[in-house]
Every structure is written in C-alpha cells, then in structure tokens.
Amino acid sequence: MSFQQDPIFIAAVLCLSVFFAIWLTRFPWGRTVGTPILVIVICAVFANMGLIPSAMEGSPIYDGVFQYVAPLGIFIALLEVDLKSLKNAGIPLLLMFAIGTVGTVVGVMVSWFLVQPEAAIGDLAGAVAGMYTGTYIGGSINFNAVALSYGVNEQGPLFAATTVVDNLIGTPWIIATLILPKYLQKLFPRKKLKSAKSGEKIPQIEVVSMSSLASILALGFMAMIISKTIQSYFPAIPEIITLTTIALILAQFPSVQQLQGKHTLGFFMIILFLAVIGTLCDVGALSGVGDLAGTLVLFVGLLVLIHGLFVFGIGSLLKMDWDVIAVASQANVGGNTTAIAAAESLNRPDLLIPGVLVGSLGNALGTYIGFLVAGGLS
C-alpha cells in the first residue's frame, strides 16, 4: 500500500486542509469565500492531483467520517441551538424546501425531454432519473434506494457514471449556495427573518476545557448509540431524527448550555465532512465511464440549474431571506450536514435546527418521489 493510501496520511492531509482553509480566512478574499468552500476546493485539488485518493475509491478514514464524524458533528453543533429558532425560521425554510423539491422534479422532467438520456442509457434511464430525483430531494440514501430496487448498482459502468456525475455537479452547487446569498443580499437586499435579529451569533473563538470536551463527546457517543438502538427496533425512524431530538432536548438544559467548545468541536467535524465531499469531485473518474458521462453531465447539470432557478427565482418573488433560500436548497441537494454547514458559513444559528429538520424530511420523501418519477418515465 502506497503512503497516499495510508489512512493516517489521508487523515493528516484532511486536517491540514482544514488548517489552511481557516488560515486563508485571515485575508479579505478568504473571509469572503469562507472556510467551507475553501476546504472543499483544497481537497478537490489534492484528490485530482493524486495526493490523496477520492472518497469513491474508499478508505477507512472516509468511511469513518461519513458514518461517525458527520453525525457526531451535527449532534454537537445542535447542542447550542435555541428552540425559539423553530418558530421564526421553521415555516419559511419549510416553504422554500417544498419549492426546491418541486424545482428538482421539474428539473428532472425538463432535462428528460431536452436531453433524452434514454438514447445513451437505455432501459434503465427512467431509474437513473428517479435516482437523481431522490438524491436532490433527500440524499445519497434515496439515490441508492432507487438504484438497488431497479438493479442499477449491478450495472457497474452505469452506476459508476451516475455516482461520479452526481458528485461533480452536486459539489459545485454546494459551493454556489454558500456564495450566492452574500452577493444577492448586496444587489437585492432582503429583510432578514426575525430570528436573525436576535443578536445571537455563532462564536468565532472559544475556550475549550477538558471536562467540557469529555462531557460533549460522552453525550454525543451515547446519543449515537441510543439512535442506532431505536432504529434497530423501529427501522422507519431514521437515526438523524432521534439524534436531532436528543440534541434539542439536551440543548435546553443550563448545564449543557454552559459546556464550552460545542461550536469549535461540532463545526470542525462538519468541516472534515466537507473536506471528504471535496475529494468526491474527481474529474479524472469521468474518463473511465465513456460517452455516457457527457449525457449524464448535461442531464444532471440542467436539472440542478433548473432547481436553482426555481428555488432562487420563486424565493426572490416572495422576497424571502436569501440565507433561508440557500439553506433550503442545501437541504435538498446536500442533505442535513451541508445544510448545517451553510447555516454556519452564513452565521445563521437560527437556521441550524430547521435545516436539519427539512433535510430529514427530504430523506423521508426522496425515495417515494424518486420511485414515482422512475416508474412514470420507465
């Protein structure tokens, strides 16, 4: 095994990427771009240079980030959220999420008729359309659920191509939704939600004590165990729903509110997750999937563009808070973790809980709508 494949080396590069992304925010242009975008770009460059493998190639480090670090980061980040944010931010975000969901379905239909992917894909074209519908409403869980049902995963080249293109198109959109609100607010000022004016800010510097660190991690690990246990008895209840509920309850206790380092630890874990997402943007992988790649890039690119025009266009007509639109689109395209990263990047703690909740709703609905689209187009 070469040193580039060594999990310890990969872990070191990921942490160095986080360090450099934070260091670059010392410069005015770096602060404008933001840590989440910088870490995605840095790791995408490293993966395409061959310094570290893509997450598609697999590594225990990447598996650990997806399975343990990201959920733990979500839990810890939510420990500092005030439930009052649900009252002021919940309904607007839910509305924009619903609009984004419709935008995804419209995007799939328009792309289907304009690109006509069945000519390149064949009989499984409808299933592929359903997979992209599911993932851009919910997430990879929904993508894989449709793929497994229709046997797309058994078609190696096709499944590889759909996965590569999903990451190559989805990652730039994650970056775009983190950038757009800042510039749109300057060009077309929108009134912020009431919850954004409460004066609550995400802390930039925290003092972390050893006892607080031990307490936060203990709570997180116990919550993850409880969530897994509940799902084993009630499979219909996603782990993230239980994890979010436990975090919400604990966050209301003064003893938990006083714990130091919740933001630092939680956001670090979320940034690590985004670093791994960056490695998925593997341009070289397209060469291995042949002519099919061009059709899929066009199909998915048009789909995401229509989703974006739909959610930002209707949101603009409704004079909706740009930050709310961005987080809602993130909940659609990226899921729970990137929705939280968007809220963090935009300094909107009031959108953390609503972002996770609508992201979970997307996971619940994505498979059903994906199957409807796949069945209708097959």
Side-chain angles (χ1 to χ4, degrees):
M1 180 176 66
S2 64
F3 74 90
Q4 289 102 329
Q5 303 289 331
D6 192 309
I8 296 175
F9 177 76
I10 296 171
V13 173
L14 291 178
C15 290
L16 278 173
S17 300
V18 173
F19 169 80
F20 282 120
I22 295 170
W23 180 79
L24 288 172
T25 60
R26 298 169 62 183
F27 303 99
W29 65 269
R31 285 193 295 273
T32 300
V33 175
T35 303
I37 298 172
L38 289 169
V39 80
I40 290 173
V41 172
I42 290 170
C43 287
V45 171
F46 285 165
N48 282 281
M49 288 172 57
L51 180 63
I52 54 174
S54 162
M56 289 186 62
E57 299 174 42
S59 167
I61 289 296
Y62 296 146
D63 294 340
V65 169
F66 285 130
Q67 294 178 25
Y68 304 110
V69 175
L72 186 60
I74 290 175
F75 174 85
I76 294 171
L78 295 181
L79 287 178
E80 55 181 353
V81 173
D82 190 336
L83 271 175
K84 292 195 291 291
S85 64
L86 273 177
K87 181 179 69 175
N88 296 315
I91 298 301
L93 193 61
L94 183 61
L95 172 62
M96 292 314 306
F97 177 81
I99 291 170
T101 297
V102 174
T104 294
V105 176
V106 170
V108 170
M109 295 303 179
V110 172
S111 295
W112 178 268
F113 289 108
L114 291 181
V115 179
Q116 298 185 349
E118 65 270 32
I121 300 173
D123 295 338
L124 290 174
V128 170
M131 289 159 60
Y132 285 122
T133 302
T135 196
Y136 292 136
I137 289 174
S140 59
I141 294 172
N142 312 101
F143 181 91
N144 290 317
V146 178
L148 288 168
S149 179
Y150 281 88
V152 178
N153 59 302
E154 298 171 6
Q155 306 297 318
L158 176 60
F159 189 62
T162 55
T163 304
V164 169
V165 172
D166 175 29
N167 294 314
L168 283 175
I169 302 297
T171 302
W173 183 248
I174 290 173
I175 295 173
T177 52
L178 294 175
I179 294 173
L180 282 172
K182 300 174 185 178
Y183 291 99
L184 288 173
Q185 183 64 20
K186 292 178 181 178
L187 294 172
F188 310 102
R190 292 286 184 266
K191 185 179 180 181
K192 298 284 186 179
L193 291 181
K194 182 180 178 182
S195 55
K197 301 173 183 177
S198 63
E200 182 185 3
K201 294 293 181 184
I202 293 175
Q204 301 303 312
I205 299 175
E206 282 186 301
V207 176
V208 183
S209 69
M210 194 175 296
S211 60
S212 287
L213 182 62
S215 300
I216 291 167
L217 290 174
L219 289 173
F221 290 134
M222 289 303 298
M224 290 174 70
I225 286 294
I226 293 170
S227 301
K228 288 179 182 294
T229 303
I230 289 176
Q231 191 183 42
S232 69
Y233 286 103
F234 305 98
I237 302 177
E239 284 184 36
I240 193 65
I241 291 291
T242 306
L243 204 60
T244 300
T245 303
I246 296 172
L248 278 174
I249 295 170
L250 291 174
Q252 310 315 305
F253 286 91
S255 56
V256 173
Q257 294 169 0
Q258 292 168 9
L259 292 175
Q260 299 169 322
K262 297 188 292 292
H263 170 75
T264 300
L265 190 57
F267 194 37
F268 173 72
M269 291 179 175
I270 290 171
I271 292 296
L272 270 183
F273 168 80
L274 293 179
V276 177
I277 290 294
T279 72
L280 287 169
C281 195
D282 188 353
V283 177
L286 281 181
S287 61
V289 295
D291 297 336
L292 184 60
T295 299
L296 288 173
V297 166
L298 188 58
F299 179 80
V300 180
L302 184 58
L303 150 62
V304 172
L305 177 62
I306 292 170
H307 162 85
L309 292 173
F310 215 86
V311 70
F312 276 93
I314 294 179
S316 176
L317 292 175
L318 295 175
K319 299 190 181 301
M320 189 65 70
D321 184 339
W322 294 117
D323 294 345
V324 170
I325 297 172
V327 174
S329 180
Q330 270 310 309
N332 277 135
V333 175
N336 296 312
T337 313
T338 55
I340 281 192
E344 291 267 4
S345 180
L346 297 167
N347 202 29
R348 291 294 299 270
D350 57 310
L351 298 179
L352 290 173
I353 283 290
V356 171
L357 294 180
V358 295
S360 299
L361 179 61
N363 286 137
L365 296 176
T367 300
Y368 297 112
I369 301 176
F371 277 122
L372 282 174
V373 169
L377 296 178
S378 296

